Amino acid sequence: MKVKPQIVIAIVLVILAFGVGYAALSGAWATNSSNGNGSGDGDGSGQNQGIRGSSTFAEISSLYGIAEQDLMTAFGVSDEDAGTVTPGSLTDIYPDAEIGTGSVRLFVALYLGEEYDLTGDANLLDPAVQMLQERGTLTLEQEQYLELHTVQE
């Protein structure tokens, strides 16, 4: 029995269409990016992986619903520098403290009460840690991590 190529092509297209349709309906198929405000990259670090070194504090504030003043206080940024400081530029401000993009991701996750992979070496400044402790949402594991990764200004 021979099958015509047109029939094979039609069958493949129907199977493909049904497969994509089923995946879209079940939520397994996402055709648009959430720009860091979705469910994360699947690595258990929450939604803050959209924070890049070039993101501004204003963008981070808008995306994650964190007061821009809280971000500035947490990372020792003055009002006049607020528009130009990015997570990537924090490494220049604190060259010996290892404060940077990972630190901002850590802060945002803990601020929002999200899970965060604590196997990294992200440090936070003391004002950031104090702010998080005042919020009262830290787990024991997060408290212990911050004891070892807090930098005094």
Side-chain angles (χ1 to χ4, degrees):
M1 174 171 125
K2 288 187 171 185
V3 180
K4 293 184 179 182
Q6 294 87 349
I7 300 291
V8 172
I9 290 171
I11 291 172
V12 168
L13 290 176
V14 167
I15 291 172
L16 182 65
F18 277 110
V20 170
Y22 175 75
L25 288 175
S26 68
W29 182 281
T31 58
N32 56 4
S33 170
S34 61
N35 197 18
N37 206 13
S39 61
D41 292 340
D43 62 358
S45 60
Q47 64 180 346
N48 60 16
Q49 291 299 306
I51 297 173
R52 303 287 178 234
S54 59
S55 303
T56 65
F57 280 5
E59 291 169 337
I60 295 167
S61 172
S62 175
L63 280 174
Y64 299 101
I66 297 175
E68 189 173 358
Q69 187 61 45
D70 284 352
L71 287 168
M72 292 168 32
T73 300
F75 293 98
V77 177
S78 64
D79 288 339
E80 59 266 5
D81 293 333
T84 60
V85 174
T86 63
S89 68
L90 292 173
T91 56
D92 295 331
I93 297 170
Y94 304 105
D96 298 327
E98 295 185 32
I99 301 289
T101 306
S103 302
V104 176
R105 287 179 182 155
L106 172 63
F107 177 78
V108 168
L110 299 182
Y111 187 96
L112 297 174
E114 296 178 352
E115 292 292 319
Y116 190 83
D117 180 10
L118 298 175
T119 59
D121 288 329
N123 294 322
L124 289 180
L125 296 172
D126 189 53
V129 173
Q130 289 177 11
M131 187 181 302
L132 293 171
Q133 289 170 334
E134 289 171 6
R135 292 179 64 80
T137 58
L138 296 175
T139 65
L140 179 61
E141 180 185 15
Q142 292 167 341
E143 287 274 1
Q144 291 171 341
Y145 178 87
L146 291 175
E147 284 178 21
L148 300 173
H149 293 88
T150 300
V151 176
Q152 304 297 322
E153 284 187 86

